[in-house]
Amino acid sequence: MSASAPPRKRAALTPPGEREAETSRNTALRINGARLQQRIAQLAEIGAIDGGGCARLALTDADRAGRDQVCDWMRELGLAVTVDAIGNVVGVRAGRQSGAAVMTGSHIDTVRTGGRFDGNYGVLAGLEVIATLNDAGIVTEHPLAVAFFTNEEGARFAPDMMGSLVYTGALPLGEALATRGIDGTTVGEELQRIAYAGPAPVPAAAPRAFIELHVEQGPVLDREGTQIGVVESVQGISWTEIEILGTSNHAGTTPMALRRDAGWVAGAIIHFVRELAQELGGNQVATVGRIEFFPNLVNVVPNRAVLTVDLRNTDEARLQMAEARLAAHLDALRDAEKVDIATRSLARFAPVPFAAQMCDRIEHHARTQGLSTRRMPSGAGHDAQMLAAVCPTAMIFVPSVDGVSHNVREHTHPEHIEAGANVLLAVLCELAGATPPAGALA
Amino acid sequence: MSASAPPRKRAALTPPGEREAETSRNTALRINGARLQQRIAQLAEIGAIDGGGCARLALTDADRAGRDQVCDWMRELGLAVTVDAIGNVVGVRAGRQSGAAVMTGSHIDTVRTGGRFDGNYGVLAGLEVIATLNDAGIVTEHPLAVAFFTNEEGARFAPDMMGSLVYTGALPLGEALATRGIDGTTVGEELQRIAYAGPAPVPAAAPRAFIELHVEQGPVLDREGTQIGVVESVQGISWTEIEILGTSNHAGTTPMALRRDAGWVAGAIIHFVRELAQELGGNQVATVGRIEFFPNLVNVVPNRAVLTVDLRNTDEARLQMAEARLAAHLDALRDAEKVDIATRSLARFAPVPFAAQMCDRIEHHARTQGLSTRRMPSGAGHDAQMLAAVCPTAMIFVPSVDGVSHNVREHTHPEHIEAGANVLLAVLCELAGATPPAGALA
């Protein structure tokens, strides 16, 4: 935000170290906000939808076009670009030493009604950091990498965060490639089709550290007026697909008491799921986002209904309690309504704590730049939670207006876009060991 | 059922009359059950679906193929076939006198998961009556007509019973032709495409009388073991499409209390609608058969949901009460959930009473043939309810196993198929004034 703000005193919990002196000098180095906004706007034109949003579902033609654009920018910035077998793209800027890179990144796929910042911001801010270092002639000790991971959203293929799952070895490549999407295609076929089934092996070697910059996608920072969220953990996620089988029948002639109405049972689950979240309280959330009736006709009692339940909690024990109560309710409905109910887990991630030392560094640099901060969990899933299993990881959040997300009205003010990227720049410089030339010093 | 069963004593409520003596003689005339089953099986092959059912949605290619088949049969039986401007097909067998025909018929379109008897049975039983009269060399005083009406099911274009609505002048032709279906096409375009936009004018001249033979589509006759249903009325029908507009948002980061969840409101309506039917009691039924969420993704709170509510009652005052209570509940949801809710009537028919004299004749002939009978309302809508506005009308029901309807498992036993057609034969002979040659006498 403010290049002239005096560096604040280091927070007490930050251990003193040699890096500190160097980092303080880096506070004068700032990214170019206009250039970053220009790239965000240009990427948003690919798969643009009414209202200013984007529809680039993973591995569609629109996703390919977005990937091609970002790869072009990576090469223009001098990065060595590799594509791995699940389509993750990594651009590396060499350091004085070889070895593992300090990595930043996120994703560029979107939901069908996505905003322009979700995912894209973290990737393009990473490129802006690279551009800033290039402009300043700064060479880092360790390599720096900017990555975007395949199918973070899970809107076409479940599970979400598929690319980072495979990257870190948590999901076998073959299983991911065989995943069939909502349109009947498989990940493997679609990767081949858009020419992003690359030669780099998975699981990949672990980065030296990983930082993901992202819009909050929730209302907390915006409501408080806080500029930077220091993300300490990610909520656990449980996605369940529920299929109900009853009997289809004429809507006019079948007495209510004789029905086995799969649609009514679906409605009862929607009703229950909100009650569950309210009774568990805390940060428990529960959502039925997808539903289908069969045969889906006005005058036919549905014989089949399929719906999804999305449960999230930062506390694994409470998330398991929510799952158990949902399962018990399904048992009760099965008995009372004489329907068959089958469930299938679409995704299950335990809550993930981030590295305390990484969070400290984010908080320190934000405050050094005069920015207000708040420690918080992430309510959404992110690739960073997969990377956390293999290297020190944390996330930086910036405010999202009204918390609107997965919606074309998603918006983050330019000053917050710029502030987040400057914090990312400072943290990456410290982690990678940047030695700025004299001109870049404060 | 039994050609040798002695004619039962006439029920006390049947007024004596000249027709009576003639009708008693007709009790020996019987349809050919095997020939009727053969036609039912042959028509069921068109648009056949797994399990023995049919999918011939109105004005599709499958519907055209079915229409062509039935028209061929009509011509083979010597009927003069006309097609009107909404695609209704009428085959007329001349009588000694010209003038209005005594008409029977039903429909041959089906829902997407239809059985083979619904509608088709009434039309093909009408043809079997014609074949029987032809074989016996019987000429009737008045013409006899067999009709099938366009889009009775309403599964592709709303309202249902469209053809009979236009035939009787209850729906303007232009409005019907402009109706847009679930696939975006219009009735007018599709009629032209399948070459069933005919020259006969609508509204048509009223028939002399109308009888529709149909499977019950409900469980009453089957459970009781009653052979013939004498249908005295048709339930009133109210179809409403409800559109809910909320805000789409990230399923993980939006606190429950801050949501405007269109999907949850849809679930609440499903829940309410069954309670409504249970509280009103009697023969009130209520069904949510169709639903859609937008964007319909597992991790997005739906910003839009569209669903239909089907309400039916034989009592108009109680049906209006059900509609009013649904409207009040939508108002309450609108306020409590801060969503927008719009409703659109897809169809609205008041309960229809049939002609008492016609019901008497059906009951009389069934009993004369040794068949058990029951007076009952129809829970489903039928073309007969439209004809009732322009001529004396009633319906004959036969049992449907377990009441399964709009489902490939729909079934009626051959003896019931045959019995219903024999009652139809006797009633049509009486109404049209049949004078059998000596060989056909009992």
Side-chain angles (χ1 to χ4, degrees):
Chain A
M1 280 290 290
S2 165
S4 59
R8 292 195 183 180
K9 194 168 185 310
R10 195 181 64 208
L13 47 69
T14 307
E18 190 186 352
R19 294 178 304 193
E20 183 58 16
E22 189 177 280
T23 304
S24 293
R25 291 200 302 276
N26 287 338
T27 51
L29 196 63
R30 290 292 181 271
I31 63 97
N32 180 335
R35 181 170 57 187
L36 171 54
Q37 288 289 353
Q38 168 60 27
R39 284 211 178 92
I40 291 171
Q42 206 170 329
L43 184 54
E45 283 170 20
I46 301 173
I49 55 177
D50 282 353
C54 292
R56 294 198 308 270
L57 289 184
L59 311 186
T60 56
D61 288 345
D63 185 28
R64 168 167 49 185
R67 287 165 169 265
D68 290 349
Q69 174 62 81
V70 175
C71 287
D72 286 348
W73 283 329
M74 285 179 163
R75 293 191 186 95
E76 285 167 23
L77 290 167
L79 303 184
V81 177
T82 61
V83 181
D84 70 23
I86 193 66
N88 299 318
V89 174
V90 180
V92 178
R93 184 175 190 268
R96 287 201 185 80
Q97 301 180 25
S98 60
V102 172
M103 183 181 280
T104 190
S106 188
H107 62 96
I108 62 167
D109 68 314
T110 76
V111 297
R112 206 187 303 278
T113 58
R116 57 175 56 192
F117 298 105
D118 184 344
N120 305 304
Y121 170 49
V123 176
L124 300 181
L127 295 189
E128 178 53 35
V129 166
I130 300 294
T132 301
L133 295 179
N134 287 355
D135 291 351
I138 294 174
V139 179
T140 55
E141 196 64 21
H142 305 290
L144 268 174
V146 180
F148 60 87
F149 296 98
T150 294
N151 184 34
E152 193 271 350
E153 292 289 6
R156 189 181 177 204
F157 301 100
D160 55 350
M161 296 170 280
M162 182 181 280
S164 47
L165 276 166
V166 174
Y167 191 82
T168 57
L171 178 67
L173 174 64
E175 196 176 313
L177 294 177
T179 302
R180 200 165 287 282
I182 54 175
D183 52 6
T185 59
T186 67
V187 168
E189 291 159 5
E190 288 294 277
L191 269 175
Q192 292 287 343
R193 190 182 67 77
I194 69 165
Y196 273 89
V202 286
R208 187 174 172 84
F210 184 76
I211 295 276
E212 183 171 0
L213 170 63
H214 207 283
V215 294
E216 182 197 340
Q217 303 177 266
V220 177
L221 295 174
D222 183 54
R223 299 230 165 167
E224 281 191 352
T226 302
Q227 292 161 304
I228 294 292
V230 179
V231 184
E232 297 181 299
S233 64
V234 177
Q235 279 190 337
I237 296 181
S238 170
W239 284 3
T240 305
E241 182 181 84
I242 301 170
E243 179 183 27
I244 306 142
L245 295 174
T247 302
S248 85
N249 224 314
H250 193 290
T253 61
T254 315
M256 300 305 288
L258 298 180
R259 298 181 177 203
R260 295 172 66 237
D261 184 342
W264 187 85
V265 174
I269 293 169
I270 294 172
H271 203 265
F272 170 79
V273 147
R274 186 205 271 188
E275 281 177 0
L276 174 66
Q278 287 168 338
E279 284 173 30
L280 282 171
N283 55 30
Q284 177 68 50
V285 286
T287 307
V288 174
R290 184 150 66 79
I291 196 166
E292 274 188 293
F293 280 8
F294 303 86
N296 207 33
L297 296 170
V298 58
N299 58 343
V300 182
V301 176
N303 70 321
R304 181 168 171 245
V306 180
L307 71 165
T308 56
V309 174
D310 175 320
L311 300 173
R312 309 199 192 193
N313 203 309
T314 48
D315 183 282
E316 173 64 18
R318 295 188 73 77
L319 183 57
Q320 286 181 16
M321 189 188 302
E323 290 176 316
R325 290 188 54 183
L326 173 61
H329 188 70
L330 296 183
D331 286 342
L333 283 170
R334 193 183 281 119
D335 291 347
E337 301 294 325
K338 298 181 175 43
V339 292
D340 294 322
I341 300 181
T343 61
R344 185 164 71 96
S345 175
L346 298 182
R348 181 63 168 85
F349 302 114
V352 174
F354 285 142
Q357 202 185 356
M358 296 284 282
C359 295
D360 292 346
R361 300 322 299 155
I362 293 167
E363 189 173 59
H364 164 72
H365 286 291
R367 292 182 179 177
T368 299
Q369 294 179 19
L371 300 167
S372 55
T373 67
R374 175 201 174 91
R375 297 213 167 208
M376 63 193 301
S378 170
H382 293 287
D383 294 311
Q385 76 196 70
M386 303 309 158
L387 274 296
V390 298
C391 67
T393 297
M395 292 188 70
I396 306 165
F397 273 178
V398 295
S400 191
V401 176
D402 286 336
V404 172
S405 177
H406 287 181
N407 186 303
V408 296
R409 293 190 299 106
E410 177 207 78
H411 185 65
T412 291
H413 295 304
E415 64 268 29
H416 294 136
I417 290 292
E418 189 170 338
N422 274 321
V423 174
L424 179 68
L425 170 67
V427 177
L428 289 176
C429 280
E430 176 181 344
L431 293 172
T435 310
L441 293 178
Chain B
M1 279 288 292
S2 164
S4 59
R8 291 195 184 179
K9 196 169 182 313
R10 194 182 65 210
L13 48 69
T14 308
E18 191 186 350
R19 294 178 304 194
E20 183 58 16
E22 189 177 279
T23 305
S24 293
R25 291 199 302 275
N26 287 338
T27 51
L29 197 64
R30 291 292 181 270
I31 62 97
N32 181 334
R35 182 171 55 189
L36 172 53
Q37 288 288 352
Q38 168 61 29
R39 284 212 178 88
I40 291 170
Q42 206 169 328
L43 184 53
E45 284 169 20
I46 302 172
I49 54 177
D50 281 353
C54 292
R56 294 198 308 271
L57 290 185
L59 311 186
T60 56
D61 288 345
D63 186 27
R64 168 168 48 186
R67 288 165 168 265
D68 291 349
Q69 174 62 81
V70 176
C71 288
D72 285 349
W73 283 329
M74 284 179 163
R75 293 192 186 95
E76 285 166 23
L77 290 167
L79 302 184
V81 176
T82 60
V83 181
D84 71 23
I86 193 66
N88 299 318
V89 174
V90 181
V92 178
R93 184 176 190 266
R96 287 203 185 78
Q97 301 180 25
S98 60
V102 173
M103 182 181 280
T104 190
S106 189
H107 63 95
I108 63 166
D109 69 312
T110 76
V111 297
R112 207 188 301 279
T113 58
R116 58 175 57 193
F117 299 105
D118 185 343
N120 305 302
Y121 169 48
V123 176
L124 300 181
L127 295 188
E128 179 52 35
V129 166
I130 300 294
T132 302
L133 296 178
N134 287 356
D135 290 350
I138 294 174
V139 180
T140 55
E141 197 63 23
H142 305 290
L144 269 174
V146 181
F148 60 87
F149 296 99
T150 294
N151 183 32
E152 192 271 351
E153 293 289 6
R156 188 179 178 206
F157 300 100
D160 55 350
M161 296 171 280
M162 183 181 279
S164 48
L165 276 166
V166 174
Y167 190 82
T168 57
L171 178 68
L173 175 64
E175 195 176 314
L177 295 178
T179 301
R180 201 165 287 281
I182 54 175
D183 51 8
T185 60
T186 67
V187 168
E189 291 160 5
E190 288 294 278
L191 269 174
Q192 292 286 346
R193 190 183 66 78
I194 69 165
Y196 273 87
V202 286
R208 187 174 173 84
F210 184 77
I211 296 276
E212 182 171 0
L213 171 63
H214 208 283
V215 294
E216 182 198 338
Q217 303 177 266
V220 177
L221 295 174
D222 184 53
R223 299 232 164 163
E224 280 190 353
T226 302
Q227 292 161 305
I228 294 292
V230 179
V231 184
E232 296 181 299
S233 65
V234 177
Q235 279 191 339
I237 297 182
S238 170
W239 285 3
T240 306
E241 183 182 83
I242 301 170
E243 179 182 28
I244 306 142
L245 295 175
T247 302
S248 85
N249 225 315
H250 194 289
T253 60
T254 315
M256 299 306 287
L258 298 181
R259 296 181 178 204
R260 295 172 66 237
D261 183 341
W264 186 84
V265 174
I269 293 168
I270 294 172
H271 203 265
F272 170 79
V273 147
R274 187 205 269 189
E275 281 177 1
L276 174 66
Q278 287 168 338
E279 283 174 30
L280 282 171
N283 56 31
Q284 177 68 50
V285 286
T287 307
V288 174
R290 183 150 66 79
I291 196 166
E292 275 188 293
F293 280 8
F294 302 86
N296 207 32
L297 296 170
V298 58
N299 58 343
V300 182
V301 175
N303 69 321
R304 180 168 171 244
V306 180
L307 72 165
T308 56
V309 174
D310 175 321
L311 300 173
R312 309 200 192 193
N313 202 310
T314 49
D315 183 282
E316 174 65 18
R318 294 186 74 77
L319 184 57
Q320 287 181 16
M321 189 188 303
E323 291 175 315
R325 291 187 54 181
L326 174 61
H329 188 69
L330 296 184
D331 286 342
L333 283 169
R334 193 183 281 119
D335 290 347
E337 300 295 325
K338 297 180 176 45
V339 292
D340 294 321
I341 300 182
T343 62
R344 186 163 71 97
S345 175
L346 297 182
R348 180 64 167 85
F349 302 114
V352 175
F354 286 142
Q357 202 185 357
M358 297 283 282
C359 294
D360 292 345
R361 301 321 299 158
I362 293 166
E363 189 172 60
H364 163 72
H365 286 292
R367 291 182 179 176
T368 299
Q369 293 178 21
L371 301 167
S372 54
T373 65
R374 175 201 174 89
R375 298 216 168 206
M376 62 194 301
S378 170
H382 293 288
D383 293 311
Q385 76 196 69
M386 303 310 158
L387 275 296
V390 298
C391 67
T393 297
M395 292 187 72
I396 306 166
F397 273 178
V398 295
S400 191
V401 176
D402 287 336
V404 172
S405 177
H406 286 182
N407 185 301
V408 296
R409 294 190 299 106
E410 177 207 76
H411 184 65
T412 291
H413 294 304
E415 63 268 28
H416 294 137
I417 289 292
E418 189 169 336
N422 274 320
V423 174
L424 179 68
L425 170 67
V427 178
L428 288 176
C429 279
E430 177 182 341
L431 294 173
T435 309
L441 295 178

